Amino acid sequence: MSERHGTRRTGRIGRRAALAGLCLAGGLLTVVGAHAETALLNVSYDPTRELYRDINAAFAEDWKARTGETVTVRASHGGSGSQARTVIDGVDADVVTLGIPSDIDAIAKLTKRIPEDWRGKQPNAGLPYTSTVVFLVRKGNPKGVKDWGDLAKPDIKVITPNPKTSAGGRWNFLAAWGYAYNQDKDAAKADAFVGTVYKNVPVLDTGARGSTVTFAQRGLGDVLPTWENEAYLVLQEFGADKFDIVVPPTSIYAEPPVALVDANVDRKGTRKQAEAYLAFLYTDKAQAIFAKHHYRPFKPAAAAEADLKQLPDIKLFKIEDLQGNWDEIQKRNFDTGGLFDQLSRQGR
Amino acid sequence: MVAPPRPKRRFRQASVIPGFGLTFGYTLTCLGLVVLLPLAALVAKASGLGLSGIWYVATDPRVASALRISFGVSLLAALTASVFGFLVAWVLTRYRFPGRKLVDAVVDLPFALPTAVAGIALASLYAPNGLVGAQLARLGIQAAYTPVGIFIAMVFIGLPFAVRTVQPLIAEIDKEVEEASATLGATRWTTLIKVVLPPLIPAVLTGFALAFARGVGEYGSIIFIAGNLPYVSEIAPLLIVIKLSEFDYGGAAAIATIMLGISFLTLLAINLIQAWSRRRFGYV
Amino acid sequence: MSDLSLTAAPAQEEAASEGRLVRGLLIGTAVVFLALFLVLPLFTVFAQALSRGVGAYLEAFFEPDAWTAIRLTLTVAAIAVPFNLVFGVAAAWAIAKFEFPGKSLLITLIDLPFSVSPVVSGLIYVLLFGSRGLFGGWLQDHGIQILFALPGIVLATVFVTFPFVARELIPLMQEQGNAEEEAALTLGATGLHTFRTVTLPNIRWGLLYSVLLCNARAMGEFGAVSVVSGHIRGLTNTIPLHVEILYNEYNFVAAFAVASLLAGLALVTLALKSLLEWRYGAELGSRARH
């Protein structure tokens, strides 16, 4: 092969490579260009994917009608703890809507981007909706699960997410503890009861969604204690002919709060839109959407009657009434060396 | 146009080939920025805990058991991958059969298939209601969501290392030596053990170490299938992610540093095996 | 060369090889093992993706989020792969063409990302660029976003694919020696001209081969990217992360459909790689790597 031929060939390849590079650079520019319009970022927890898809669309429409501005709300979802971690590490979240108050506390403490008194900034301590924990069981409830006490029976397999990473996992843990504590007001007995329940757990997924997939798709376990909204979603997605929802007589008052990330909205200049977004969550329109997705709205009057009927009457207890403030709850149960660590050490 | 080889002239041996300063400098800069600086940040973060702090994290029963699971299962998986990898490499180089080239191409699949895809595929296969899982369940074996699941995922990703390090050396074996051995009255088995196998050992060890190192660190394909139970099927990389979710950066860095140290030792071992093999057998 | 032995006397051939039965048994074991461990998972991806028909399969690609994920993945690969290509060629040139002390340490360090857990690869950038990390405060003051944006994803990808090209080229160029380059240079060619006309044609197939694998890994990386991405829908989700999201939304068909895109990429990679090996096996060097 003559040398000139070889050079011409590399020349052609070089030109082609340059062309490809140009195309890719163009692609890159469009990716960057997508930032131009006002975009809010809502960092949320695992099971709210379907909910915020509706809420975000409704807000964008509402905002457009009121101000003429186009705003897109992006959402990111995952285990509540991991999501809080990304905000701490610098995700540009305008608002956080997490699964448990202690995760917002952690952001406030570690970064100061959210004021420590965030609970006072929104109506109802930052809770546009609340929820609770119910049981999902296999059709016909073959193991006869009725109440939290049944989860500690020796022949029951319980599927629940890892309380270290998942807010849903933490609510399940606290609900089981609260149930046992309310039986005879003995904290040591309640600790032991939770230990027995977690001996029955064959898989600890990192998020509520992981646990649902394990239970519903992979067919593992007899009972899935889960967010009320998640239980109904499973019936919708996997078919009501495969599972039943069992509502225990008592359960926990689960508080998934929302907060503005002050430092981020001020830096990005999105305070106006972000505040409006949070305020929108308390409007009748949003409240109705919460109820439609089986969350318990702050203002039930705004929700459709049919949706409210789906939310059963359960006696709900607040974990704060039993264990003190959230710092204490977090430290007692989930921090390194806390109750969960002690139990898993015994449980092996 | 080529950077003048300043004082480096004495650092490297003389050569007419230009470009040492440029390429060497560029290599070091990239290596420094992409690999060394970030890893230094990790070690710095962990050393903030002090040696006693790292030791405290490492001996925490949950961390210790995660490390034990990661390293223990990876060891078993690398062993399995080595045995079957050797078999596959042998079959592929020594025998001619229809579809051989296809089989040869398939071996590299785990290199090319993203780990998350492998993870969801393996999980749906080996779950109790999956294609293979259902058969295993009938035998009373639960694969997914137990250490067996971790093992399967690790064998999957480790296999190509085991095959590809041994394969070229099997191809290079001089058949005449085997024939001589046979002519001298050795049985086939004796020939294999005494003549064929010894020169291959360094390559088998290298493949084993690579599969092992890769298995210890693997995350994507395992978390879907492992079950992630503390003390039972929780792997060390997952524990790093969990520590991060608990905002325990020091703890995450400490586990990462321990893993990094062991990876580095494994790599060093590979290089020593290769150096030894070069001296003993004259090739790698 | 092994074909020669087929012409040897049958008895001797028997002694220097395994019996027909053993041979069949070994081939059978190997094939069954590979089918069970490697092919079946791949098959599952496609089977699940098509389990509700072609329509449901294609639907997964009509979603705008899927397209952003695809575009992001392509962008990341388009930056990370050329970077590692240039690095790999430079490193191989410095290491293979020259003798200097500390060479094996340098090679070990280049290899290091191979054996670092992907999670750790992500973690190190969090520790560097996270807002509580080493440079986090400075970056924030200057309004530069690295983590949870394109730069962070690119960095993590560059890290995990760092050794691919270098490790392929170093042994190849070492084997080929310096004689041809020295001849060209002695004849008066410039260094760059020598590289383009002498070295590059010698290593091009090895280069292409390593770029293929590097690209497959860059597009498929999950662990490292999941730590630094922030999982923002339509913004920082790569294809593997999008698969995970779909999977977590109970959208299994779509998850496997998008996964089949990556599996298809893997198949194309393997096909091209095998093609290269069959046609240019000798030029690729006698020793397979990683």
Side-chain angles (χ1 to χ4, degrees):
Chain A
M1 193 202 322
S2 82
E3 194 181 298
R4 207 196 289 151
H5 181 72
T7 335
R8 200 184 301 146
R9 210 151 120 184
T10 25
R12 203 184 307 141
I13 290 173
R15 230 169 294 140
R16 218 174 284 163
L19 199 70
L22 265 177
C23 293
L24 289 161
L28 220 151
L29 281 178
T30 35
V31 170
V32 175
H35 291 259
E37 58 182 25
T38 315
L40 295 178
L41 176 58
N42 173 4
V43 170
S44 194
Y45 60 112
D46 222 2
T48 54
R49 298 157 196 264
E50 294 75 14
L51 168 71
Y52 278 112
R53 199 174 293 158
D54 283 7
I55 292 271
N56 293 347
F59 171 70
E61 195 180 301
D62 183 77
W63 188 250
K64 179 111 190 166
R66 279 195 289 150
T67 65
E69 280 175 34
T70 307
V71 58
T72 359
V73 187
R74 291 211 167 82
S76 106
H77 298 273
S80 191
S82 345
Q83 291 294 87
R85 196 275 297 173
T86 63
V87 176
I88 290 169
D89 280 333
V91 154
D92 251 343
D94 299 275
V95 300
V96 286
T97 56
L98 294 176
I100 198 162
S102 49
D103 281 334
I104 299 188
D105 284 338
I107 301 174
K109 278 203 198 93
L110 292 174
T111 68
K112 313 277 178 230
R113 269 177 235 154
I114 297 176
E116 294 218 17
D117 60 344
W118 57 269
R119 285 179 179 81
K121 307 273 177 182
Q122 305 292 334
N124 196 27
L127 296 169
Y129 64 88
T130 58
S131 188
T132 188
V133 176
V134 299
F135 303 146
L136 195 69
V137 296
R138 312 234 167 254
K139 192 73 195 172
N141 195 3
K143 293 281 173 100
V145 178
K146 292 205 171 56
D147 199 354
W148 290 93
D150 297 324
L151 303 193
K153 284 184 180 162
D155 63 332
I156 292 263
K157 288 270 172 270
V158 183
I159 305 294
T160 177
N162 190 336
K164 290 270 192 175
T165 49
S166 153
R170 266 173 273 176
W171 289 118
N172 291 352
F173 186 96
L174 295 172
W177 191 91
Y179 159 83
Y181 184 79
N182 281 335
Q183 299 296 303
D184 34 26
K185 306 292 174 204
D186 184 338
K189 270 193 188 166
D191 290 355
F193 171 78
V194 176
T196 324
V197 171
Y198 276 77
K199 279 205 183 94
N200 288 341
V201 177
V203 183
L204 275 179
D205 288 289
T206 47
R209 279 295 154 97
S211 286
T212 315
V213 171
T214 302
F215 181 80
Q217 175 83 355
R218 306 267 168 262
L220 237 70
D222 305 306
V223 52
L224 176 82
T226 187
W227 294 100
E228 190 176 34
N229 48 284
E230 186 75 355
Y232 282 100
L233 187 73
V234 172
L235 290 196
Q236 270 169 39
E237 294 286 328
F238 291 88
D241 55 329
K242 292 194 189 117
F243 306 100
D244 281 332
I245 291 176
V246 171
V247 180
T250 67
S251 191
I252 197 161
Y253 178 72
E255 309 161 57
V258 302
L260 189 74
V261 189
D262 284 79
N264 286 357
V265 294
D266 287 342
R267 188 162 37 82
K268 289 164 74 180
T270 49
R271 179 174 276 277
K272 191 179 65 167
Q273 292 88 342
E275 276 178 347
Y277 179 71
L278 287 186
F280 178 76
L281 300 182
Y282 293 89
T283 61
D284 287 1
K285 198 187 255 172
Q287 292 289 311
I289 299 177
F290 288 134
K292 194 180 115 211
H293 286 272
H294 307 286
Y295 296 82
R296 294 174 175 238
F298 166 55
K299 288 191 287 185
E305 197 60 35
D307 292 336
L308 289 177
K309 260 195 208 138
Q310 297 250 327
L311 302 169
D313 242 346
I314 311 180
K315 216 175 126 228
L316 299 178
F317 58 84
K318 270 192 177 180
I319 192 68
E320 284 158 283
D321 297 340
L322 309 181
Q323 289 195 351
N325 70 31
W326 275 102
D327 284 345
E328 288 159 5
I329 296 168
Q330 177 68 24
K331 190 158 180 286
R332 180 186 196 279
N333 300 288
F334 307 120
D335 277 355
T336 306
L339 180 59
F340 178 72
D341 278 356
Q342 294 163 26
L343 293 176
S344 32
R345 201 173 295 190
Q346 292 162 12
R348 65 188 162 130
Chain B
M1 63 185 284
V2 170
R6 295 148 306 172
K8 279 191 186 116
R9 183 173 292 165
R10 245 177 288 149
F11 171 63
R12 61 153 173 106
Q13 287 175 19
S15 159
V16 291
I17 297 179
F20 180 74
L22 183 74
T23 54
F24 188 72
Y26 184 73
T27 305
L28 283 193
T29 312
C30 287
L31 185 70
L33 285 179
V34 174
V35 179
L36 300 185
L37 177 73
L39 289 179
L42 171 72
V43 177
K45 181 79 191 179
S47 62
L49 299 172
L51 215 56
S52 60
I54 297 179
W55 181 247
Y56 180 78
V57 173
T59 50
D60 170 80
R62 187 157 171 211
V63 177
S65 105
L67 287 169
R68 214 171 25 242
I69 290 163
S70 273
F71 285 99
V73 178
S74 184
L75 209 64
L76 278 179
L79 215 61
T80 313
S82 294
V83 171
F84 280 93
F86 187 88
L87 172 72
V88 171
W90 182 265
V91 165
L92 284 178
T93 36
R94 279 307 179 88
Y95 307 149
R96 297 288 170 270
F97 56 94
R100 187 182 64 89
K101 289 187 170 175
L102 189 70
V103 174
D104 192 46
V106 159
V107 169
D108 279 332
L109 190 67
F111 280 153
L113 196 69
T115 52
V117 175
I120 57 173
L122 287 173
S124 64
L125 261 182
Y126 287 92
N129 60 0
L131 204 60
V132 181
Q135 302 307 313
L136 289 175
R138 219 177 283 165
L139 302 172
I141 304 168
Q142 199 199 330
Y145 316 117
T146 66
V148 181
I150 305 178
F151 172 81
I152 290 168
M154 283 179 175
V155 171
F156 177 83
I157 54 159
L159 190 71
F161 293 95
V163 178
R164 292 303 184 220
T165 41
V166 187
Q167 201 176 6
L169 288 187
I170 297 181
E172 271 170 28
I173 296 174
D174 196 348
K175 269 221 145 190
E176 280 175 19
V177 182
E178 285 170 64
E179 276 154 21
S181 167
T183 319
L184 292 172
T187 63
R188 183 64 189 151
W189 187 240
T190 317
T191 306
L192 281 181
I193 297 290
K194 293 249 166 93
V195 179
V196 177
L197 208 53
L200 294 178
I201 285 175
V204 172
L205 284 176
T206 306
F208 171 80
L210 282 172
F212 172 70
R214 186 68 210 277
V216 167
E218 180 55 21
Y219 175 73
S221 59
I222 295 178
I223 50 158
F224 289 100
I225 197 180
N228 310 327
L229 268 192
Y231 302 102
V232 179
S233 56
E234 187 174 68
I235 54 167
L238 175 66
L239 207 52
I240 294 177
V241 173
I242 290 177
K243 288 270 178 205
L244 269 182
S245 306
E246 292 172 32
F247 325 119
D248 180 5
Y249 293 77
I255 303 174
T257 308
I258 296 165
M259 294 186 65
L260 188 69
I262 298 175
S263 314
F264 188 73
L265 289 180
T266 317
L267 271 188
L268 208 65
I270 296 173
N271 281 354
L272 288 177
I273 293 169
Q274 292 187 338
W276 170 72
S277 144
R278 212 172 290 139
R279 272 200 311 276
R280 172 94 165 63
F281 301 104
Y283 57 81
V284 185
Chain C
M1 12 155 212
S2 52
D3 294 4
L4 276 178
S5 65
L6 290 177
T7 57
Q12 206 176 1
E13 137 89 357
E14 188 74 4
S17 184
E18 290 73 41
R20 193 172 283 263
L21 185 71
V22 177
R23 195 185 286 212
L25 219 63
L26 290 180
I27 294 175
T29 316
V31 169
V32 167
F33 178 81
L34 289 177
L36 214 63
F37 268 78
L38 304 190
V39 181
L40 206 56
L42 184 74
F43 168 78
T44 311
V45 173
F46 289 100
Q48 297 266 6
L50 292 167
S51 61
R52 294 215 189 126
V54 180
Y57 175 82
L58 290 177
E59 218 165 85
F61 301 104
F62 288 135
E63 212 198 329
D65 284 348
W67 281 106
T68 352
I70 292 170
R71 197 161 55 183
L72 179 64
T73 296
L74 290 177
T75 312
V76 169
I79 301 171
V81 174
F83 177 86
N84 282 334
L85 173 73
V86 173
F87 164 77
V89 172
W93 184 268
I95 290 169
K97 300 288 178 198
F98 303 94
E99 284 306 320
F100 55 89
K103 203 188 236 187
S104 40
L105 178 70
L106 185 63
I107 297 179
T108 307
L109 289 177
I110 291 176
D111 266 349
L112 202 53
F114 263 144
S115 57
V116 170
S117 171
V119 172
V120 178
S121 322
L123 173 69
I124 54 180
Y125 290 105
V126 169
L127 294 177
L128 270 187
F129 302 120
S131 58
R132 299 171 75 236
L134 223 48
F135 304 129
W138 186 87
L139 289 169
Q140 204 150 34
D141 293 343
H142 291 76
I144 305 169
Q145 185 88 20
I146 289 191
L147 230 48
F148 313 118
L150 185 67
I153 300 172
V154 170
L155 277 174
T157 308
V158 165
F159 184 92
V160 294
T161 54
F162 193 68
F164 275 83
V165 179
R167 276 309 265 159
E168 177 70 34
L169 290 188
I170 292 169
L172 185 63
M173 278 164 73
Q174 271 173 339
E175 227 165 82
Q176 289 173 348
N178 293 353
E180 288 182 49
E181 281 86 356
E182 277 163 1
L185 287 163
T186 321
L187 292 174
T190 66
L192 204 62
H193 191 71
T194 308
F195 174 75
R196 264 183 31 205
T197 52
V198 178
T199 314
L200 203 56
N202 275 339
I203 61 169
R204 61 187 164 189
W205 301 119
L207 200 63
L208 194 60
Y209 180 96
S210 62
V211 163
L212 275 176
L213 283 180
C214 182
N215 183 57
R217 181 75 198 268
M219 290 192 173
E221 180 51 32
F222 173 76
V225 173
S226 101
V227 176
V228 298
S229 124
H231 305 266
I232 306 167
R233 252 174 181 283
L235 201 62
T236 62
N237 273 326
T238 59
I239 304 179
L241 296 180
H242 189 64
V243 170
E244 192 205 15
I245 282 190
L246 290 170
Y247 190 77
N248 278 338
E249 286 173 3
Y250 314 134
N251 207 339
F252 301 110
V253 170
F256 279 102
V258 178
S260 76
L261 206 64
L262 289 168
L265 174 78
L267 285 179
V268 171
T269 304
L270 289 190
L272 286 175
K273 191 173 157 296
S274 307
L275 199 75
L276 283 178
E277 271 169 349
W278 297 338
R279 292 198 53 187
Y280 306 101
E283 285 182 51
L284 286 170
S286 58
R287 189 178 166 274
R289 283 141 293 259
H290 32 265

